[in-house]
Amino acid sequence: MITLSTDVLVIGGGATGVGIAWDGALRGLEVILVDRKDLAEGTSGRFHGLLHSGGRYAVKDPRAAVECIAENRILRRVAADCVEDTGGLFVTTPFDDPEYADRFLQGCRECDVDCEEIEPAEALRSEPRINPGISRAFRVPDASIDVWKTVWAMSHGAQQRGARILTYHDVVAVHRDGDAVTGAHVRDTRTGDELDIEARITVNATGAWAGRVAELAGIEGVRVRPGRGIMVAMNHRLVNTVVNRCQLPTDGDIIVPIRTVAVVGTTDQGTDDPDDESVHQSEVDAMLDEGEKLAPGLRDARALRVWAGVRPLFEDAKADDSATRDITRAHTLLDHSQRDGVARFITITGGKLTTFRLMAQETVNAVCRQLGEERQCTTSSVPFPGSESGQTYRLGERLGRKEAALTDVQVICECELVPLSKLEEALERTGTTILDDIRRQLRLAMGPCQGGFCIYRATGVMHELDSLSAEQADSSLRDFLQERWKDLWPVLHGDQLRQARLDDWIFQGVLDVGHLPS
Ligand SMILES: Cc1cc2nc3c(=O)[nH]c(=O)nc-3n(C[C@H](O)[C@H](O)[C@H](O)COP(=O)(O)OP(=O)(O)OC[C@H]3O[C@@H](n4cnc5c(N)ncnc54)[C@H](O)[C@@H]3O)c2cc1C
């Protein structure tokens, strides 16, 4: 069996884990990162898309608010290409307690969240879809962040500095030598191959799964309570600013414009299982009803898909009975040598996607302390690969550039303007045979047709490039369609139902995907 060795083994390839790999590599540490799936296939790839200003937590969770605004300012600089500066609005609708607005303003002041009150008429001029009955409105520096670009940029940067990123590698055992963790045993979920990784320090960055991985190391009581939330993507940007109801966070009270869509969210239900991605029709209906209070007419707009993610909410012993919305959104770092007498093992969990850089910084600081080495963190000043210009992402600009270039090239996905050359380049670079990996990397099939017109083309390209045999191509296509279906059925009505029927004709009627020749 192969044995690899490294300074730091990071378990978990969400934003936090990849942030740790990037930070560690920048500090000159040898890093291996493993994830049981693709990068950001856990909560990071199933979040709402909001780069928090902190406004949402300013009243109830000031520590989280302070961390969010500080990180928001840093990420706009170092991860500029991943951030769209949409700005944010908090508005008091006729359904909200009018007294909350003053507490909100005060909370923002105390947490250093930039907040300016504007006339409701001005808010309505900039966002005409929101409730015309709003009585107060506040501008905050909310933004949207593209998580796929974020993790791929950090992962490329880390790999350029020698880090090894092993996706589809599941940690099945954590090795102990007496009171110290010495690495892990991992299984390649695609080939079944197994390998050992010896590490000077092992970091558990598995978010909602952190309790389970700690148990593999023989450590009990790392209690992470998964808080499941659903989100619905609408097929165009109903709003161009992040709009929030000015009230304590609740279901369906925020709409985030991200790329070509707007995402309505979210719910928060405690669950025992971090793999619980279930979506119930009643939740979707209730959330859209709530969303209607913020943006009347939302229910009649076309919904594209719905998905669920689980928040990693770390509980201390006193918080047993609290609802998941009441658990702090700030993060927790556990140095197990101090907490459990187990050396060379660190857990980082909780927090927000917005605070992943800070979480990574504190984790690598703890790694360096355990190694007895002093290495400065530079992630607040070194730009991610692709963000060197410091220019935040602007939807219109990129579309203009793409339109100019795309007249001469073959387009595979019209909704997201993905050219053939990009698909071929991604297939060559990643070597993946999984269509869903390509979807996340290129946003292929993320638009209104949800793959109806592009996914069979992409499958054909993979087959032609010899990445897939005919048999593998067929099964890859079927897996993709099955996954899509899970996200589609709860929103099938109106135009999206017509689209689904058309897609069904293409795949079942014309291609007969159930019986393709092998
Ligand atoms: C509904 C919802 C909406 C949200 N919206 C926002 C938002 O708008 N803005 C914001 O800032 N935050 C938001 N969050 C919070 C944010 O998404 C999370 O805090 C963040 O993504 C957690 O990242 P992570 O890297 O710590 O965990 P994850 O992204 O979950 O990464 C953990 C990784 O560990 C891997 N793993 C688990 N077990 C193993 C194993 N045995 N071996 C190998 N790998 C393993 C998993 O595959 C996973 O990839 C939201 C969360 C939810 C649920």
Side-chain angles (χ1 to χ4, degrees):
M1 194 190 327
I2 297 173
T3 301
L4 304 175
S5 44
T6 184
D7 289 331
V8 188
L9 167 62
V10 183
I11 308 173
T16 308
V18 183
I20 294 167
W22 166 236
D23 186 323
L26 279 173
R27 297 197 210 194
L29 290 164
E30 269 186 344
V31 180
I32 296 179
L33 178 146
V34 292
D35 195 289
R36 60 182 189 151
K37 296 188 180 170
D38 196 10
L39 296 183
E41 249 198 279
T43 310
S44 297
R46 312 185 71 81
F47 85 132
H48 202 157
L50 173 64
L51 182 69
H52 282 272
S53 61
R56 216 163 149 74
Y57 303 120
V59 172
K60 193 167 168 191
D61 198 346
R63 181 185 150 202
V66 168
E67 289 178 357
C68 283
I69 185 62
E71 289 304 301
N72 175 308
R73 289 173 186 145
I74 293 172
L75 290 176
R76 281 166 186 268
R77 264 195 334 262
V78 297
D81 188 44
C82 310
V83 173
E84 186 187 346
D85 186 8
T86 59
L89 276 175
F90 278 75
V91 293
T92 307
T93 75
F95 303 94
D96 305 323
D97 172 7
E99 287 183 4
Y100 182 82
D102 287 329
R103 289 166 65 203
F104 171 78
L105 197 56
Q106 181 63 23
C108 285
R109 279 195 194 116
E110 285 168 10
C111 297
D112 190 30
V113 176
D114 313 287
C115 178
E116 180 201 357
E117 180 155 16
I118 59 171
E119 287 300 322
E122 190 185 334
L124 285 166
R125 266 195 303 278
S126 64
E127 288 301 343
R129 299 290 299 256
I130 59 179
N131 193 317
I134 58 171
S135 52
R136 293 182 79 177
F138 304 91
R139 277 198 194 288
V140 294
D142 281 341
S144 66
I145 179 163
D146 183 328
V147 67
W148 311 116
K149 288 177 86 175
T150 304
V151 294
W152 296 124
M154 290 191 293
S155 151
H156 291 157
Q159 287 178 84
Q160 280 164 1
R161 287 162 179 81
R164 283 168 284 181
I165 308 284
L166 306 179
T167 53
Y168 295 101
H169 280 73
D170 190 10
V171 168
V172 290
V174 172
H175 295 314
R176 287 268 300 256
D177 180 4
D179 286 340
V181 166
T182 56
H185 186 74
V186 302
R187 182 176 299 133
D188 185 328
T189 57
R190 291 164 304 184
T191 62
D193 292 345
E194 308 212 344
L195 62 125
D196 271 322
I197 302 175
E198 289 171 353
R200 293 168 73 196
I201 305 280
T202 299
V203 175
N204 172 12
T206 53
W209 294 265
R212 293 190 177 174
V213 171
E215 274 174 23
L216 291 178
I219 296 168
E220 300 292 327
V222 174
R223 294 176 57 185
V224 183
R225 185 146 156 209
R228 187 179 58 85
I230 65 160
M231 289 139 286
V232 181
M234 312 306 286
N235 89 321
H236 68 278
R237 287 171 64 123
L238 297 171
V239 288
N240 286 310
T241 313
V242 176
V243 289
N244 306 257
R245 275 170 68 184
C246 195
Q247 59 171 6
L248 286 172
T250 181
D251 298 352
D253 64 347
I254 171 169
I255 307 177
V256 181
I258 181 151
R259 293 283 190 125
T260 51
V261 301
V263 180
V264 186
T266 167
T267 53
D268 198 343
Q269 292 284 325
T271 170
D272 295 330
D273 179 7
D275 289 300
D276 180 358
E277 291 169 4
S278 59
V279 172
H280 309 287
Q281 185 71 59
S282 55
E283 288 175 306
V284 178
D285 291 342
M287 204 178 67
L288 291 178
D289 285 345
E290 280 302 306
E292 188 75 21
K293 295 177 181 167
L294 181 56
L298 176 119
R299 254 206 162 290
D300 301 325
R302 177 169 162 189
L304 280 185
R305 54 183 286 253
V306 55
W307 69 96
V310 283
R311 295 175 181 82
L313 302 172
F314 182 76
E315 284 189 311
D316 63 27
K318 286 183 284 181
D320 275 8
D321 298 323
S322 55
T324 48
R325 277 215 193 272
D326 293 333
I327 300 176
T328 177
R329 270 28 178 181
H331 59 274
T332 302
L333 181 108
L334 303 174
D335 181 332
H336 294 287
S337 58
Q338 290 161 10
R339 182 181 187 268
D340 307 286
V342 177
R344 297 165 55 184
F345 190 57
I346 293 166
T347 292
I348 176 82
T349 187
K352 302 294 298 170
L353 192 118
T354 303
T355 56
F356 76 83
R357 192 212 62 85
L358 175 66
M359 293 165 71
Q361 174 176 341
E362 290 180 8
T363 308
V364 183
N365 286 347
V367 166
C368 290
R369 270 197 306 279
Q370 288 215 12
L371 291 174
E373 296 170 7
E374 199 164 312
R375 296 170 187 255
Q376 280 301 314
C377 175
T378 54
T379 53
S380 62
S381 55
V382 177
F384 290 8
S387 288
E388 294 81 359
S389 72
Q391 180 69 55
T392 51
Y393 172 80
R394 299 238 325 257
L395 188 63
E397 257 175 34
R398 185 149 314 183
L399 185 66
R401 273 206 308 276
K402 283 199 168 180
E403 271 178 346
L406 280 169
T407 47
D408 326 323
V409 296
Q410 193 180 342
V411 178
I412 295 290
C413 168
E414 286 89 354
C415 303
E416 293 285 341
L417 293 179
V418 180
L420 173 63
S421 54
K422 263 217 146 160
L423 173 62
E424 289 176 337
E425 185 268 321
L427 289 172
E428 202 166 303
R429 178 166 40 79
T430 61
T432 186
T433 55
I434 300 171
L435 285 164
D436 227 24
D437 290 356
I438 292 296
R439 175 181 72 84
R440 285 187 294 274
Q441 288 234 352
L442 302 183
R443 298 186 66 83
L444 183 121
M446 287 216 185
C449 82
Q450 292 287 291
F453 297 113
C454 62
I455 207 64
Y456 60 86
R457 295 178 190 152
T459 314
V461 172
M462 283 169 107
H463 175 50
E464 247 176 45
L465 290 177
D466 283 338
S467 319
L468 294 174
S469 67
E471 229 167 44
Q472 289 167 324
D474 295 349
S475 96
S476 201
L477 180 59
R478 279 195 299 269
D479 288 350
F480 180 89
L481 294 174
Q482 194 56 40
E483 270 304 304
R484 283 280 82 174
W485 181 246
K486 280 201 295 199
D487 295 346
L488 267 177
W489 70 263
V491 287
L492 282 185
H493 60 87
D495 285 341
Q496 195 58 17
L497 180 56
R498 278 189 275 281
Q499 177 75 54
R501 286 293 292 131
L502 174 61
D503 291 353
D504 198 46
W505 270 334
I506 294 173
F507 291 108
Q508 307 296 345
V510 180
L511 296 175
D512 193 15
V513 286
H515 309 93
L516 286 172
S518 52

